[in-house]
C-alpha cells in the first residue's frame, strides 16, 4: 500500500508539494499506528501477567488508534469527515485511557498481585533479611 | 497481493469477520463464567456491527452497535449480578436433544442455501420487488436522502408502530414483574390495609438482614420477617434449578 | 478526601452531555444519515445508564425520576398512534402523513419527525426502566464471588 502511494507520488507530476507532504505524512502516521497496533497485539499475547498485558492493550487503544485517525484526517483534508474523525479521536483520547485505568484499578482492588521477577524488590528484601 | 486480484478485498473482510463471529459463538458456548459470556456477547454484537458496515447496511450496524454492544451488555450485567456468577456444567444426557435440534435446523439451512440468490444479485426478490419501488418513490414523494428512514417511518409505518408497541409492552412487563424500585414481590400487606416495604431491599448477607430486621422489629416495625426470608430462599432455589437446567 | 473513582467521575461527567447531544444529533439527522428514533433512544438511555453506573442509582433517579418512565413510555406510543389518528381526522388513511400539510412532501416530513419522536420517547424510557428494575435489586450473592 505504501509502495503504491509513494509510486503515485513519484510518477504523478501534477501534484503540488503540499499534496505530496499530505500523502507522505498520512502514510507515515497510518504506518506507525499499524506498528503500534501490531506491537500491542503481540504484547497481549506474549506478556506474562495481567498488568503488562493491559499495558500493551492500552497502548493499542490509545496510541495506535490515534495515529491511524490522524493519518485518516490528513488523508481527507479540510472536510466534514475530517472534523468527525477529529471528534472521534478526541473522545477516544479521553475514554480509552480511562477504561484502561478502570480495569487496572479494579484488578488492584481485587488484590491481583503483579507477577514479580527475580530482581523484584520483595525478593531482594527477603534475601537480605 | 495475488489473492486480492482473484477475490475482492471486501469478500475477504466479510469471511474474516464471519470467522471471528463463529469463534466467539463457540467460546460463548464453551464458557462457564457468566461475566465472560456477557462480555463476549458484546464482542459478538460489535463484530457483527462491523460486518453489517462491510455489507453497507449502516442503519442496521448502528442499531446493532448501540443496542447489542452498548445497552444490552449493561442490562445483561445488571441481570447477571442478581444470579450466580458461574453456570453449572450441563450433563451429557441433557445435551443430546438440543444437539439434535441444532443439527436438523442447520441441515435445513444448508439445504436452503441452494435456493438463495447470489450475493448482490440484481434479480433477487429483494431488489426486484417493492425495494426498487421504495427507492424510486422516496426521491419523488418524501424528498429525504435516507431511504431507510423513509421506509421505516412512512412506507412501513404500520410495522414500526408495531415495534413501538412491542417495546412499550416489554417495558410494561418489566415494570409489572419487577417494579421500579426492585421491591416487587416483597410488599407485605397488613390487615389495616396499609402497605409497608423495607427501606432497603434485602441483600445477600443474611446476618446483616437479621440484625436489621431485629432493629426494625424492636422499633415496632411491621415488616414480616418470615415471609421475606422464605421469598429469598425460594428465589435461591429457583436460581439453582435454572443453573441445573 | 480520597475518592478511588475520581478519574472515572470526572471523565463521565464530561462525557454524559456529549452522549445526550449525540443522541439528539442521531434523532434529528436521521433523515439525512444513518439513525433514527430507535438508535437515538438507546443512546440517550445509555447516557443515563452511564451516569447511574458512575454516580449511583440514587443520583440517576434524581436526574431522571422513575415517574417519568411511565409517562414517557405511554407518551411515545400515544404520539405515534396519535399521528395516525390525526391523519384519519384530516381525511387520510392511518399513518399516511401526506395530509398533515398543504404540500404532501412537507406532510411526510412532519409525520416522520412526529413518529420518530414517539419512538425516541418509548425506547429511552423503556431502556431506562429495564435498567432501573434490574439495577435497584440488591445482588443476592457476595461481591467476591466473581
Amino acid at each position: 500500500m505504501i509502495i503504491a502511494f509513494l509510486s503515485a507520488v513519484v510518477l504523478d507530476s501534477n501534484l503540488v508539494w503540499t499534496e505530496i507532504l499530505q500523502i507522505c505524512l498520512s502514510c507515515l502516521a497510518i504506518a506507525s499506528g499499524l506498528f503500534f497496533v501490531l506491537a500491542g497485539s503481540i504484547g497481549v499475547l506474549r506478556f506474562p501477567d495481567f498488568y503488562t498485558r493491559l499495558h500493551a492493550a492500552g497502548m493499542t487503544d490509545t496510541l495506535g488508534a490515534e495515529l491511524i485517525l490522524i493519518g485518516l484526517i490528513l488523508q481527507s483534508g479540510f472536510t466534514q469527515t475530517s472534523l468527525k474523525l477529529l471528534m472521534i479521536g478526541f473522545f477516544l483520547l479521553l475514554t480509552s485511557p480511562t477504561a484502561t485505568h478502570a480495569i487496572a484499578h479494579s484488578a488492584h482492588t481485587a488484590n491481583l498481585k503483579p507477577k514479580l521477577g527475580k530482581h523484584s524488590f520483595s525478593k531482594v528484601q527477603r534475601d537480605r533479611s | 497481493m495475488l489473492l486480492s486480484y482473484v477475490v475482492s478485498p471486501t469478500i475477504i473482510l466479510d469471511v474474516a469477520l464471519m470467522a471471528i463471529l463463529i469463534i466467539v459463538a463457540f467460546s460463548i458456548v464453551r464458557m462457564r463464567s457468566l461475566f465472560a459470556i456477557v462480555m463476549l456477547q458484546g464482542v459478538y454484537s460489535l463484530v457483527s456491527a462491523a460486518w453489517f458496515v462491510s455489507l453497507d447496511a449502516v442503519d442496521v450496524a448502528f442499531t446493532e452497535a448501540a443496542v447489542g454492544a452498548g445497552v444490552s451488555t449493561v442490562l445483561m450485567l445488571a441481570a447477571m449480578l442478581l444470579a450466580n456468577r458461574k453456570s453449572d456444567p450441563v450433563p451429557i444426557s441433557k445435551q443430546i436433544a438440543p444437539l439434535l435440534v441444532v443439527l436438523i435446523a442447520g441441515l435445513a439451512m444448508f439445504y436452503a442455501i441452494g435456493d438463495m440468490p447470489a450475493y448482490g444479485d440484481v434479480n433477487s426478490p429483494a431488489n426486484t420487488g417493492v425495494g426498487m419501488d421504495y427507492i424510486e418513490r422516496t426521491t419523488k414523494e418524501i424528498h429525504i436522502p435516507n431511504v431507510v428512514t423513509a421506509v421505516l417511518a412512512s412506507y412501513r409505518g404500520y410495522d414500526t408502530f408495531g415495534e413501538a408497541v412491542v417495546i412499550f409492552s416489554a417495558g410494561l412487563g418489566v415494570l409489572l414483574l419487577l417494579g421500579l424500585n426492585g421491591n416487587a414481590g416483597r410488599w407485605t400487606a397488613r390487615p389495616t390495609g396499609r402497605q409497608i416495604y423495607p427501606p432497603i431491599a434485602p441483600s445477600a448477607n443474611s446476618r446483616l438482614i437479621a440484625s436489621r430486621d431485629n432493629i426494625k422489629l424492636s422499633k415496632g416495625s411491621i415488616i414480616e420477617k418470615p415471609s421475606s426470608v422464605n421469598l429469598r430462599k425460594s428465589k435461591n432455589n429457583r436460581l439453582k434449578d435454572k443453573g441445573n437446567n | 478526601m480520597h475518592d478511588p473513582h475520581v478519574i472515572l467521575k470526572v471523565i463521565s461527567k464530561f462525557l454524559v452531555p456529549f452522549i445526550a447531544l449525540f443522541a439528539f444529533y442521531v434523532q434529528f439527522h436521521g433523515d439525512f444519515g444513518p439513525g433514527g428514533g430507535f438508535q437515538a433512544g438507546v443512546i440517550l438511555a445509555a447516557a443515563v445508564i452511564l451516569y447511574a453506573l458512575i454516580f449511583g442509582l440514587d443520583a440517576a433517579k434524581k436526574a431522571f425520576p422513575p415517574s417519568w418512565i411511565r409517562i414517557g413510555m405511554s407518551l411515545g406510543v400515544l404520539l405515534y398512534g396519535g399521528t395516525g389518528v390525526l391523519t384519519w381526522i384530516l381525511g387520510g388513511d392511518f399513518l399516511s402523513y401526506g395530509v398533515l400539510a398543504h404540500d404532501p412532501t412537507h406532510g411526510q416530513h412532519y409525520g416522520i419527525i412526529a413518529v420518530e419522536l414517539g419512538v425516541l420517547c418509548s425506547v429511552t424510557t423503556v431502556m431506562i426502566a429495564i435498567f432501573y428494575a434490574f439495577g435497584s435489586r440488591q445482588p443476592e450473592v457476595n461481591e467476591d464471588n466473581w
Side-chain angles (χ1 to χ4, degrees):
Chain A
M1 186 188 78
I2 297 163
I3 294 168
F5 265 118
L6 288 181
S7 63
V9 168
V10 172
L11 292 178
D12 195 351
S13 54
N14 293 328
L15 287 174
V16 200
W17 68 272
T18 47
E19 289 177 346
I20 296 175
L21 191 68
Q22 190 184 357
I23 293 174
C24 288
L25 279 180
S26 75
C27 272
L28 195 70
I30 292 178
S32 46
L34 287 178
F35 168 75
F36 281 115
V37 170
L38 186 69
S41 325
I42 294 174
V44 169
L45 291 176
R46 295 281 297 161
F47 274 152
D49 82 321
F50 178 79
Y51 291 100
T52 46
R53 279 200 292 256
L54 187 66
H55 165 66
M59 192 180 66
T60 310
D61 262 6
T62 319
L63 198 52
E66 285 297 329
L67 279 169
I68 290 174
L69 278 173
I70 287 173
L72 292 179
I73 290 169
L74 286 172
Q75 284 267 326
S76 57
F78 273 111
T79 51
Q80 204 189 4
T81 317
S82 141
L83 182 69
K84 284 179 186 172
L85 284 171
L86 196 68
M87 285 167 77
I88 293 174
F90 175 64
F91 288 119
L92 210 60
L93 195 65
L94 280 181
T95 48
S96 55
T98 315
T100 313
H101 160 78
I103 297 171
H105 184 266
S106 56
H108 181 70
T109 319
N111 275 332
L112 183 69
K113 291 273 180 287
K115 189 178 181 181
L116 298 173
K118 57 182 175 183
H119 295 299
S120 70
F121 177 70
S122 58
K123 185 81 183 298
V124 171
Q125 214 174 23
R126 199 166 60 235
D127 287 349
R128 211 174 274 167
S129 61
Chain B
M1 267 297 179
L2 193 69
L3 197 68
S4 67
Y5 287 111
V6 180
V7 190
S8 118
T10 352
I11 298 283
I12 300 175
L13 187 66
D14 287 347
V15 171
L17 286 173
M18 279 192 274
I20 297 175
L21 283 182
I22 292 174
I23 293 169
V24 173
F26 268 100
S27 46
I28 288 176
V29 173
R30 296 292 300 165
M31 280 222 174
R32 287 279 159 255
S33 161
L34 288 182
F35 185 75
I37 287 176
V38 170
M39 284 299 148
L40 278 177
Q41 277 179 346
V43 170
Y44 189 92
S45 291
L46 203 61
V47 174
S48 53
W51 182 47
F52 291 144
V53 170
S54 154
L55 291 176
D56 284 342
V58 196
D59 282 85
V60 186
F62 196 3
T63 316
E64 183 69 40
V67 179
V71 167
S72 78
T73 308
V74 179
L75 293 183
M76 293 290 277
L77 273 182
M80 190 206 69
L81 282 176
L82 304 172
N84 288 338
R85 295 284 189 277
K86 272 192 192 303
S87 63
D88 294 335
V90 183
I92 299 285
S93 56
K94 281 188 180 174
Q95 291 180 351
I96 293 173
L99 182 70
L100 273 180
V101 171
V102 167
L103 270 182
I104 291 169
L107 283 178
M109 280 184 183
F110 264 100
Y111 180 70
I113 282 177
D115 290 340
M116 293 263 292
Y119 173 63
D121 188 5
V122 190
N123 296 319
S124 68
N127 286 338
T128 49
V130 284
M132 295 313 282
D133 198 32
Y134 287 150
I135 293 173
E136 277 170 16
R137 283 170 58 182
T138 300
T139 47
K140 271 184 281 176
E141 292 178 359
I142 306 189
H143 286 299
I144 61 173
N146 190 3
V147 184
V148 178
T149 305
V151 171
L152 275 181
S154 185
Y155 293 122
R156 287 275 164 208
Y158 277 39
D159 293 1
T160 314
F161 186 48
E163 272 175 41
V165 173
V166 163
I167 292 165
F168 173 73
S169 34
L172 204 62
V174 166
L175 285 195
L176 285 177
L177 287 174
L178 296 177
L180 266 187
N181 300 313
N183 52 13
R186 293 203 176 89
W187 294 72
T188 47
R190 296 292 294 173
T192 53
R194 267 179 71 206
Q195 283 187 326
I196 289 291
Y197 60 93
I200 312 162
S203 73
N205 200 333
S206 55
R207 232 182 326 131
L208 246 176
I209 287 171
S211 62
R212 198 201 299 146
D213 282 357
N214 282 340
I215 291 166
K216 290 288 166 194
L217 284 176
S218 64
K219 278 181 185 170
S221 160
I222 37 179
I223 296 169
E224 283 178 9
K225 193 171 140 198
S227 73
S228 74
V229 167
N230 282 339
L231 189 87
R232 223 173 11 257
K233 264 189 189 163
S234 67
K235 192 163 175 235
N236 278 342
N237 287 338
R238 215 167 54 230
L239 285 176
K240 269 175 201 159
D241 288 343
K242 258 186 197 166
N244 283 336
N245 290 337
Chain C
M1 166 57 211
H2 178 69
D3 187 6
H5 300 303
V6 64
I7 296 179
L8 286 179
K9 281 187 176 169
V10 169
I11 293 290
S12 45
K13 198 180 270 184
F14 176 75
L15 280 181
V16 163
F18 280 104
I19 297 174
L21 191 67
F22 180 62
F24 287 115
Y25 166 76
V26 168
Q27 166 80 20
F28 294 112
H29 201 257
D31 296 356
F32 306 99
F38 194 80
Q39 290 95 330
V42 170
I43 293 171
L44 198 57
V48 178
I49 289 175
L50 175 68
Y51 190 77
L53 285 179
I54 302 293
F55 293 96
L57 214 57
D58 294 330
K61 278 181 180 170
K62 263 182 208 153
F64 195 97
S67 57
W68 291 7
I69 284 173
R70 284 166 227 163
I71 300 170
M73 257 166 66
S74 15
L75 191 71
V77 179
L78 209 63
L79 202 56
Y80 204 129
T83 314
V85 173
L86 192 64
T87 55
W88 252 346
I89 293 172
L90 292 175
D93 292 336
F94 188 66
L95 290 178
S96 62
Y97 314 123
V99 291
L100 286 177
H102 291 296
D103 189 358
T105 326
H106 289 177
Q108 291 280 354
H109 286 192
Y110 296 147
I112 288 177
I113 287 173
V115 157
E116 295 278 355
L117 268 179
V119 175
L120 173 85
C121 260
S122 273
V123 170
T124 311
T125 44
V126 167
M127 291 293 163
I128 295 172
I130 297 175
F131 181 73
Y132 278 177
F134 280 112
S136 50
R137 292 173 86 91
Q138 295 284 317
E140 311 220 352
V141 241
N142 281 328
E143 279 301 322
D144 51 8
N145 238 354
W146 290 91

